[in-house]
Amino acid sequence: MGSQESHGPEHVFCCLCCREPRTLIRFKTTLMNTLMDVLRHRPGWVEVKDEGEWDFYWCDVSWLRENFDHTYMDEHVRISHFRNHYELTRKNYMVKNLKRFRKQLEREAGKVEAAKCDFFPKTFEMPCEYHLFVEEFRKNPGITWIMKPVARSQGKGIFLFRRLKDIMDWRKGTVGKKLTIVETQPNRASVNPSGSHDTKNSDDQKDEIPVENYVAQRYVENPYLIGGRKFDLRVYVLVMSYIPLRAWLYRDGFARFSNTRFTLNSIDDHYVHLTNVAVQKTSPDYHPKKGCKWMLQRFRQYLASKHGPEAVETLFSAMDNIFIRSLQSVQKVIISDKHCFELYGYDILIDQDLKPWLLEVNASPSLTASSQEDYELKTCLLEDTLHVVDMEARLTGREKRVGGFDLMWSDGPVSREEGPSDLSGMANFVTNTHLGCINDRKEQLRQLFRSLQVQKKAPG
């Protein structure tokens, strides 16, 4: 296994510059979707099957859990997940890390700074925080809560409730044991001295846990609606390193709409409350060709026409804050192995006050296309991910844009202006993010690779 080393940004640039250009890259993946199409069409990339040696592996998280610690990787090898990615992508750990980070900020920088982490709804882990939850529940009788299993996706196992009795019924129906018995179970994960969850206890042994863990989360009852329908946003963030933190934001993404008009009168109707495509496509009146998505560019234009560009800038800036703070909350607990990168799918809900809420972060965002437009988005997203990962060793490491990706954080905020990346002390500092803006990626890539060719040919 590769070593976990901490390097400053100048070391990152040096490493990138010193890498040998590679013309043949052996890749491996088990995902038969858009990803396979992109990998197979990439010049100089060759598919490896079974036990053959590989340079690049887009693996699933189950392979990672079983094999990562026993796999030797050469310097140039890259793999598509961080070893303990679940610190960010499992719902209960994400909330624990965010709560801890908020407390740390309050201690070190004060309440105003800590308030910048108030972007996730009040959440309790069940069953271990059941008594805390009941206390909170009784303070606000009648409001709606949502229960989510911590390690499932695509809307599976989720339900809304307003009465404690509903949880008791769920408890009995799910595991056939009363909640009081469940609460005597030891906590699912031990915590090591760094504050992260012990890998063996939390991840590998999840099948031994007698009760499935859930989070109970306050339901956002005033979502922003378009055409009377609820939606959330899927945004893509690519992390190349946690120490130092180096993160890229993709310009394109989409809003996923529910198929049925929003109402709080029918909390049992998943077609009203869950926007997951896996749920919506089972709706009787779902149109496969039309789907239920808007591209982010269209969404941004719609908001600007309704609320003006300034309100939209404020909203998108608040989303930037979510991406960075959430990554910072796990920066010290994620194993930052130099062989790893990760493409995260962020799910963001907007409320009627144009406040963004973080719902969850996905380690394996769906790469299966639900329409032609979706296929084109995901193809471009994956092509540009491979450009940034840069197995071919073409980049200098100083790029602030590669295709549809903009570098938003490189051991500090990155400026939109030309010149040094960290100008955050300046009054007119604008972060280098362009979410929902024009994505002229083909032209940008053409210019980028042409200028890199010129630089290589220039005398040293």
Side-chain angles (χ1 to χ4, degrees):
M1 178 179 164
S3 56
Q4 288 94 48
E5 298 172 41
S6 302
H7 302 307
E10 65 287 338
H11 191 102
V12 173
F13 299 146
C14 174
C15 285
L16 284 163
C17 293
C18 298
R19 285 168 60 200
E20 287 293 314
R22 303 183 74 82
T23 51
L24 178 71
I25 288 111
R26 300 162 298 177
F27 76 84
K28 187 174 178 179
T29 186
T30 52
L31 303 177
M32 299 301 293
N33 51 30
T34 316
L35 175 67
M36 184 62 88
D37 293 349
V38 169
L39 291 169
R40 283 178 174 165
H41 286 101
R42 197 163 177 85
W45 287 52
V46 178
E47 187 177 356
V48 170
K49 304 224 172 163
D50 302 323
E51 299 305 308
E53 283 199 13
W54 43 269
D55 306 302
F56 178 95
Y57 189 8
W58 197 294
C59 66
D60 57 44
V61 292
S62 59
W63 181 93
L64 188 86
R65 187 168 58 241
E66 290 157 20
N67 299 283
F68 187 92
D69 294 340
H70 320 293
T71 304
Y72 171 78
M73 297 185 211
D74 285 332
E75 182 79 20
H76 71 281
V77 166
R78 293 292 177 269
I79 192 162
S80 64
H81 294 287
F82 288 92
R83 173 64 185 90
N84 56 339
H85 62 87
Y86 48 79
E87 294 285 353
L88 180 63
T89 60
R90 196 168 287 181
K91 299 174 189 77
N92 54 337
Y93 293 170
M94 178 189 85
V95 170
K96 273 183 185 171
N97 284 314
L98 281 168
K99 284 179 179 176
R100 191 189 64 239
F101 185 59
R102 185 168 58 186
K103 281 181 187 166
Q104 179 194 328
L105 281 177
E106 191 168 337
R107 276 196 316 271
E108 295 174 2
K111 288 188 174 177
V112 174
E113 197 64 21
K116 291 177 184 174
C117 286
D118 291 339
F119 49 70
F120 57 99
K122 199 166 277 279
T123 307
F124 298 90
E125 185 174 354
M126 306 289 261
C128 62
E129 293 184 326
Y130 177 72
H131 293 304
L132 290 171
F133 162 71
V134 170
E135 205 176 297
E136 182 65 29
F137 183 93
R138 286 181 173 147
K139 280 185 202 167
N140 300 282
I143 68 164
T144 311
W145 293 79
I146 185 166
M147 285 280 273
K148 304 176 184 178
V150 300
R152 287 203 257 172
S153 59
Q154 298 186 320
K156 294 183 187 115
I158 294 177
F159 65 93
L160 278 64
F161 67 97
R162 294 195 183 114
R163 303 174 307 166
L164 282 178
K165 180 181 178 296
D166 296 334
I167 299 194
M168 301 307 288
D169 291 346
W170 158 75
R171 261 320 193 201
K172 290 169 190 169
T174 308
V175 293
K177 292 181 183 177
K178 291 192 176 175
L179 198 61
T180 48
I181 298 171
V182 173
E183 285 171 349
T184 63
Q185 296 295 336
N187 195 3
R188 132 177 224 157
S190 64
V191 179
N192 69 29
S194 72
S196 66
H197 301 87
D198 182 75
T199 301
K200 287 193 174 65
N201 284 351
S202 64
D203 212 32
D204 298 332
Q205 296 180 12
K206 69 172 187 283
D207 294 333
E208 296 172 21
I209 295 150
V211 175
E212 183 176 18
N213 283 35
Y214 268 63
V215 291
Q217 195 169 69
R218 191 163 172 169
Y219 187 63
V220 178
E221 294 184 318
N222 64 330
Y224 191 97
L225 305 178
I226 295 179
R229 288 165 173 77
K230 180 183 171 181
F231 64 91
D232 68 0
L233 306 180
R234 166 57 57 88
V235 181
Y236 297 101
V237 173
L238 174 63
V239 175
M240 294 302 298
S241 159
Y242 272 97
I243 302 177
L245 181 58
R246 194 167 168 81
W248 299 74
L249 179 64
Y250 203 63
R251 294 187 172 206
D252 291 332
F254 49 84
R256 303 179 298 188
F257 287 84
S258 65
N259 221 32
T260 309
R261 292 178 74 83
F262 182 77
T263 173
L264 283 170
N265 295 333
S266 53
I267 63 171
D268 295 329
D269 190 340
H270 281 190
Y271 299 131
V272 171
H273 300 286
L274 304 186
T275 59
N276 312 66
V277 175
V279 172
Q280 292 299 325
K281 70 183 182 185
T282 64
S283 169
D285 51 351
Y286 176 76
H287 301 288
K289 285 188 179 172
K290 197 171 76 173
C292 43
K293 292 181 178 177
W294 271 15
M295 291 298 116
L296 273 186
Q297 203 173 324
R298 180 181 178 187
F299 171 70
R300 186 168 184 147
Q301 287 167 351
Y302 174 86
L303 284 187
S305 70
K306 295 276 284 187
H307 305 281
E310 200 172 305
V312 173
E313 276 298 329
T314 302
L315 166 62
F316 278 71
S317 176
M319 284 198 273
D320 293 344
N321 174 67
I322 290 177
F323 307 138
I324 295 303
R325 300 284 176 173
S326 58
L327 294 174
Q328 287 176 327
S329 77
V330 296
Q331 191 180 2
K332 290 180 180 171
V333 297
I334 294 266
I335 299 165
S336 188
D337 190 287
K338 63 188 172 184
H339 299 96
C340 302
F341 69 92
E342 198 141 30
L343 179 66
Y344 295 110
Y346 274 73
D347 290 344
I348 307 284
L349 180 76
I350 314 294
D351 71 16
Q352 287 171 6
D353 301 319
L354 293 185
K355 174 182 168 68
W357 296 91
L358 175 60
L359 299 180
E360 65 177 302
V361 184
N362 297 276
S364 303
S366 170
L367 300 174
T368 302
S370 58
S371 66
Q372 183 57 34
E373 191 177 36
D374 199 34
Y375 181 81
E376 287 163 13
L377 162 67
K378 286 171 179 171
T379 299
C380 296
L381 166 73
L382 290 167
E383 284 176 358
D384 291 346
T385 298
L386 298 182
H387 289 322
V388 175
V389 173
D390 192 31
M391 292 299 296
E392 297 88 349
R394 294 179 291 186
L395 304 180
T396 64
R398 285 182 287 273
E399 291 82 6
K400 292 206 286 191
R401 183 182 175 192
V402 176
F405 276 110
D406 296 291
L407 182 63
M408 64 173 167
W409 196 270
S410 184
D411 211 17
V414 178
S415 167
R416 206 175 280 192
E417 301 301 314
E418 289 300 319
S421 63
D422 186 4
L423 302 167
S424 52
M426 295 175 63
N428 59 349
F429 179 85
V430 182
T431 309
N432 185 43
T433 53
H434 302 266
L435 185 61
C437 296
I438 291 170
N439 186 5
D440 53 339
R441 56 179 291 277
K442 281 188 179 173
E443 177 60 22
Q444 195 276 336
L445 288 168
R446 194 175 61 77
Q447 290 181 11
L448 171 65
F449 289 123
R450 191 166 59 194
S451 70
L452 289 170
Q453 285 288 88
V454 170
Q455 287 175 42
K456 279 185 180 173
K457 286 176 184 172

